[in-house]
Amino acid sequence: MSEITATTPELSSHGYRNDQRETINRKTADPKPHLVIEPVSGWRSLRLGDIWEFRDLLFTLGMRDVKLVYKQTLLGVAWVVLQPLIGAGIFTFVFGMLAEMPSGALPYFAFSLAGMIGWTLFSTTLTAASTVMVTNSHLVSKIYFPRLILPLSSAFQPLVNFGVGLIVMLLLLAIYQINPGLRILLMPVAGSLLLMFALGIGFWCSSIMVRYRDLRFVIPVAVQFLLYASPVGYSLAAINEKVPAQYQSIYMLNPLASLVEFFRWTLLGEGEIAPAWMCYSILAATMTFILGAFAFRRSERGFADVI
Amino acid sequence: MTETAIRISDLSKSYRIKHEAGNRATNLGEAISNKIRNPFEKATHEEFWALQGIDLEINKGDVVGVIGRNGAGKSTLLKVLSRITEPTTGKVELFGRIGSLLEVGTGFHPELTGRENIYLNGAILGMRRPEITRQFDAIVDFAGVEKFLDTPVKRYSSGMYVRLAFAVAAHLNPEILIVDEVLAVGDAEFQKKCLGKMQDVAESGRTVLFVSHNMAAVQALCNSAVLLRRGAVEFTGDVATAIDKYSGDSKELGAAVSRQSPFGKARVIEKLIPARNRFPARTPILIDVHLSTHDPSSRCHFSLHVYNNYRENVITISSEHLDTGQIASNVESFSIQIDSPILLPGIYDIDAFLYSGGIIDHWPSAARFEVTDSVGVNGYNASSQTGCKMCLSDFSFSDLKVAQCLNAV
């Protein structure tokens, strides 16, 4: 007796014999398989349990990116500190000094740095999450793991930068003697909303980029556009003051408008937040995140075949 | 009663091959404009079935070799089993934790140190962190890279790199292990070590699915085999029969008719005709070789390499080893006689080379012959022997015919 039984469609005359054998096996062998592989079409569950099982991989991949970014650079970690400082410096010059935008009672530099830190978390996560499938295509085509791990792992490095940026921000607050008060307890919430919104868009973009690499060129342009279409270097107060009322609601359709303003408010207490628009932004961010994850799951079945 | 480890029922996998290269969208703009131009036209595509109605049952503790020609569906099968790609229809049931090794060193990052890469690669292969820590010393020991643990692997020699990569993979401990052609790495000594490690895995009662083109390795490691052909199971059962069928199924005996062009260069060896296709051992082998005109300034050498079923080189002859010396460029044909080599029964492939400084032309599997029966040589029963034997024999080149007209020099 051979140790393997096989039937090919052509050998249908022997098929019944194998079928019999199989039913015998079904009774004697362990009836519960460890894993069943079957085609599933359409929408499917997120299988968060699987992601939890692969948490070591998530962590290792995330830390890999953190370690890699500043290897073989002269200034190393200093870049993490310099990037938001330079950005905030430019905004202080352009919006604060040249355009003389309002920043409440705050020094413009602290004002734009707070916006810049929140914005950088969003933009770097979005950029990293969108390209992560393509840059790790060799993993996707050779190894199984829950594919959501990849965009999720791409948030590690932006989060570390975010942490460093916050420390710089706190130092600056101490220097300017600004007391954020209890509002700062809401900062993690504001940060999470920005992160979720970025990851949500990243889920969509990364699964599209597997098929169409065009997005690689679209995303930097879109990010640049969003930077100026969101109250990062200026405040919502400036929009309310200088933009005609009928266009203000168009501006507010960008969920980042309320999210960035909210983030800055948790650090500085400065900001004009309309509750209705705030609710809209929270809903938009969470729905983008959840629907993005489902859309990613839906299209991931073809990743290994086309990447 | 033995337990089942893998049960595959009616498994198929199709790929879509799109036609009309002109219409195919490779970027978003094209995709959208195609859609606008022909909103109702569905893209024409052909279904290509990489796997077709596979039914298999593999028992716990079996070491199964999966063999077949290129494109037979071996890699697709492994990819479906290791969940990298989804089947189109059918079902696979796995009874046990599965680990797959489709490539050595997946996810190794050149900038990271050896230590960091062990953890990274281990995690990618599905090992938990404490598990890697427990095996860390064994991995380092197996790879022999103690001194370079904190050096980025981009500074490793390629041998060290591959050894470290294999070492991590070798310490993966799943109940079902899937291995794709990963033993062909490193130097001879390390390969022996790898084969030994694979043997340990096989003997420890784990289920192994092993894809390889190296029939000697399949023979040595596996206790049963599956032969795939065009996406379907052609044969399952004992290894020797599967290998025989595999070698037999590949090509007709005699001279090969068509051939691939050798890397864009013009082909020079035109025909390689064995005088007989099927003969008993200890018969002289006569081969006629026809050349087309080649670079008139060059004088070159011609060599023949005879391979057995296991793709092991059993005979190598070259004009380089003869007093007659090089073959002039105006030679059109010649005959080669290999005097009575003692070959084991089986099917043999002949590769031909024409070279001077570098290779001018290389024709793999230019011809094929079969040695039919074994002849007792001084009580030595050849048919009971398996594996590699280098065969020695006298040989000669004769009948060198010069072309009538040559390209103008």
Side-chain angles (χ1 to χ4, degrees):
Chain A
M1 187 180 76
S2 73
E3 276 154 301
I4 309 163
T5 53
T7 51
T8 51
E10 300 92 86
L11 293 174
S12 53
S13 58
H14 301 289
Y16 75 97
R17 200 180 280 164
N18 282 298
D19 286 345
Q20 272 181 351
R21 209 190 116 120
E22 217 166 275
T23 47
I24 293 165
N25 265 341
R26 285 231 168 94
K27 274 174 203 157
T28 49
D30 182 2
K32 260 184 85 180
H34 193 265
L35 180 75
V36 178
I37 302 169
E38 267 178 312
V40 183
S41 59
W43 299 96
R44 46 176 99 184
S45 77
L46 294 179
R47 311 215 21 170
L48 298 175
D50 272 12
I51 296 176
W52 176 245
E53 212 173 291
F54 278 80
R55 60 192 182 278
D56 279 352
L57 179 62
L58 174 63
F59 185 76
T60 316
L61 282 177
M63 290 315 288
R64 174 194 71 174
D65 294 341
V66 174
K67 283 179 196 161
L68 280 176
V69 170
Y70 297 102
K71 276 216 171 171
Q72 274 208 359
T73 57
L74 197 61
L75 296 181
V77 184
W79 287 114
V80 184
V81 181
L82 280 175
Q83 276 169 345
L85 284 180
I86 293 170
I90 293 169
F91 279 152
T92 306
F93 176 68
V94 175
F95 290 112
M97 291 165 75
L98 295 182
E100 293 181 340
M101 296 274 195
S103 63
L106 295 163
Y108 211 93
F109 187 72
F111 173 84
S112 58
L113 184 67
M116 203 63 202
I117 289 169
W119 165 258
T120 309
L121 176 65
F122 171 82
S123 66
T124 49
T125 306
L126 169 59
T127 311
S130 315
T131 50
V132 74
M133 298 305 295
V134 174
T135 49
N136 288 286
S137 57
H138 56 289
L139 293 186
V140 176
S141 59
K142 291 290 176 193
I143 293 286
Y144 168 79
F145 52 86
R147 303 305 189 203
L148 273 169
I149 293 259
L150 275 178
L152 287 175
S153 77
S154 68
F156 273 63
Q157 204 253 326
L159 272 173
V160 169
N161 285 4
F162 178 70
V164 175
L166 277 180
I167 293 170
V168 175
M169 187 71 219
L170 291 179
L171 286 174
L172 204 72
L173 288 180
I175 292 169
Y176 285 124
Q177 293 181 323
I178 299 165
N179 182 7
L182 282 177
R183 282 188 302 266
I184 203 166
L185 293 178
L186 280 174
M187 192 277 298
V189 178
S192 313
L193 284 169
L194 284 167
L195 187 69
M196 273 163 61
F197 191 41
L199 278 174
I201 303 173
F203 290 151
W204 294 94
C205 290
S206 60
S207 56
I208 295 171
M209 205 184 290
V210 169
R211 289 178 178 80
Y212 302 108
R213 304 285 151 95
D214 304 51
L215 275 186
R216 207 202 310 243
F217 308 108
V218 176
I219 286 165
V221 179
V223 165
Q224 196 73 14
F225 173 76
L226 277 177
L227 170 60
Y228 291 101
S230 310
V232 180
Y234 52 86
S235 60
L236 274 187
I239 291 291
N240 293 340
E241 187 185 309
K242 304 199 172 177
V243 175
Q246 65 265 38
Y247 296 125
Q248 281 175 18
S249 51
I250 296 176
Y251 180 88
M252 294 305 289
L253 277 176
N254 169 14
L256 285 171
S258 297
L259 291 181
V260 173
E261 188 81 354
F262 176 50
F263 179 80
R264 182 162 42 217
W265 177 80
T266 62
L267 285 173
L268 299 173
E270 187 67 39
E272 290 181 12
I273 299 158
W277 283 116
M278 192 63 222
C279 290
Y280 159 76
S281 290
I282 292 174
L283 199 69
T286 45
M287 288 315 282
T288 309
F289 181 69
I290 294 167
L291 290 179
F294 276 102
F296 184 93
R297 282 281 297 156
R298 188 184 153 94
S299 68
E300 77 173 29
R301 50 176 293 169
F303 283 176
D305 298 334
V306 293
I307 204 159
Chain B
M1 185 73 201
T2 45
E3 279 180 82
T4 307
I6 305 174
R7 184 186 296 127
I8 303 172
S9 18
D10 194 30
L11 186 75
S12 298
K13 169 83 188 172
S14 78
Y15 287 98
R16 284 175 172 189
I17 310 169
K18 283 206 178 140
H19 284 307
E20 289 172 282
N23 262 344
R24 215 193 131 176
T26 49
N27 63 46
L28 213 54
E30 271 177 51
I32 292 167
S33 72
N34 278 354
K35 202 85 198 163
I36 292 168
R37 242 177 277 148
N38 310 306
F40 303 111
E41 190 193 56
K42 281 207 160 179
T44 51
H45 51 248
E46 189 189 7
E47 302 253 294
F48 167 72
W49 292 88
L51 292 176
Q52 247 176 327
I54 303 267
D55 284 277
L56 267 180
E57 199 156 325
I58 290 164
N59 290 330
K60 280 206 170 124
D62 273 359
V63 182
V64 183
V66 180
I67 56 178
R69 316 238 76 199
N70 287 334
K74 304 183 298 286
S75 298
T76 310
L77 179 62
L78 294 204
K79 278 192 173 180
V80 170
L81 287 181
S82 44
R83 287 203 280 169
I84 291 165
T85 181
E86 268 188 20
T88 311
T89 63
K91 188 164 143 185
V92 179
E93 290 161 284
L94 299 165
F95 300 85
R97 203 174 85 129
I98 192 161
S100 64
L101 197 54
L102 302 195
E103 186 186 68
V104 163
T106 309
F108 257 53
H109 202 288
E111 297 281 352
L112 297 176
T113 67
R115 185 189 306 277
E116 287 165 337
N117 266 310
I118 290 176
Y119 279 99
L120 175 62
N121 192 228
I124 285 171
L125 292 175
M127 285 158 98
R128 301 293 320 278
R129 211 175 162 83
E131 208 177 320
I132 305 170
T133 310
R134 199 162 3 97
Q135 304 235 45
F136 191 85
D137 291 337
I139 292 171
V140 175
D141 199 45
F142 188 87
V145 293
E146 297 88 345
K147 275 192 250 165
F148 309 101
L149 267 182
D150 295 307
T151 311
V153 296
K154 66 176 174 185
R155 305 206 203 292
Y156 278 30
S157 74
S158 57
M160 278 160 64
Y161 186 96
V162 160
R163 286 208 304 274
L164 183 64
F166 186 84
V168 182
H171 290 79
L172 188 66
N173 271 325
E175 287 145 315
I176 303 168
L177 181 63
I178 292 179
V179 187
D180 189 4
E181 199 93 71
V182 288
L183 296 176
V185 296
D187 52 23
E189 195 196 340
F190 188 70
Q191 277 197 26
K192 212 181 269 176
K193 214 166 154 186
C194 295
L195 256 138
K197 186 78 195 174
M198 285 291 298
Q199 215 128 29
D200 291 348
V201 172
E203 279 159 16
S204 67
R206 265 175 273 161
T207 313
V208 183
L209 241 71
F210 177 55
V211 162
S212 184
H213 285 285
N214 180 348
M215 293 301 138
V218 172
Q219 177 95 334
L221 289 172
C222 303
N223 58 21
S224 60
V226 176
L227 173 62
L228 291 180
R229 192 176 178 209
R230 287 188 196 148
V233 176
E234 174 109 332
F235 173 83
T236 57
D238 70 292
V239 181
T241 319
I243 291 177
D244 274 356
K245 279 185 188 281
Y246 165 70
S247 318
D249 124 313
S250 40
K251 210 166 54 181
E252 300 287 299
L253 296 180
V257 187
S258 64
R259 56 173 304 198
Q260 295 158 336
S261 65
F263 314 115
K265 283 190 187 169
R267 42 167 241 226
V268 181
I269 308 167
E270 281 209 318
K271 270 182 202 157
L272 204 71
I273 310 165
R276 296 159 76 191
N277 296 335
R278 202 178 257 109
F279 46 83
R282 301 203 84 178
T283 312
I285 303 172
L286 261 166
I287 297 161
D288 284 335
V289 182
H290 293 261
L291 304 178
S292 64
T293 46
H294 49 283
D295 181 6
S297 61
S298 76
R299 294 168 65 79
C300 45
H301 284 295
F302 184 84
S303 70
L304 276 186
H305 305 260
V306 179
Y307 292 92
N308 65 9
N309 271 353
Y310 301 98
R311 200 62 199 164
E312 287 164 337
N313 189 196
V314 290
I315 300 175
T316 297
I317 59 163
S318 170
S319 59
E320 212 173 330
H321 307 135
L322 289 176
D323 298 335
T324 46
Q326 290 171 317
I327 295 165
S329 59
N330 56 352
V331 168
E332 192 177 49
S333 69
F334 54 89
S335 304
I336 297 170
Q337 173 164 342
I338 306 170
D339 296 335
S340 329
I342 303 173
L343 289 171
L344 303 176
I347 291 167
Y348 292 84
D349 264 318
I350 307 176
D351 285 18
F353 274 94
L354 197 69
Y355 60 99
S356 55
I359 294 169
I360 299 168
D361 195 5
H362 169 212
W363 192 355
S365 299
R368 166 172 297 216
F369 63 87
E370 183 177 2
V371 174
T372 48
D373 49 64
S374 64
V375 178
V377 185
N378 296 335
Y380 176 87
N381 184 5
S383 63
S384 68
Q385 302 293 313
T386 53
C388 171
K389 301 274 179 302
M390 195 64 191
C391 197
L392 299 176
S393 175
D394 285 333
F395 63 95
S396 56
F397 281 53
S398 59
D399 278 343
L400 268 67
K401 287 199 183 71
V402 171
Q404 293 302 315
C405 60
L406 260 177
N407 292 351
V409 180

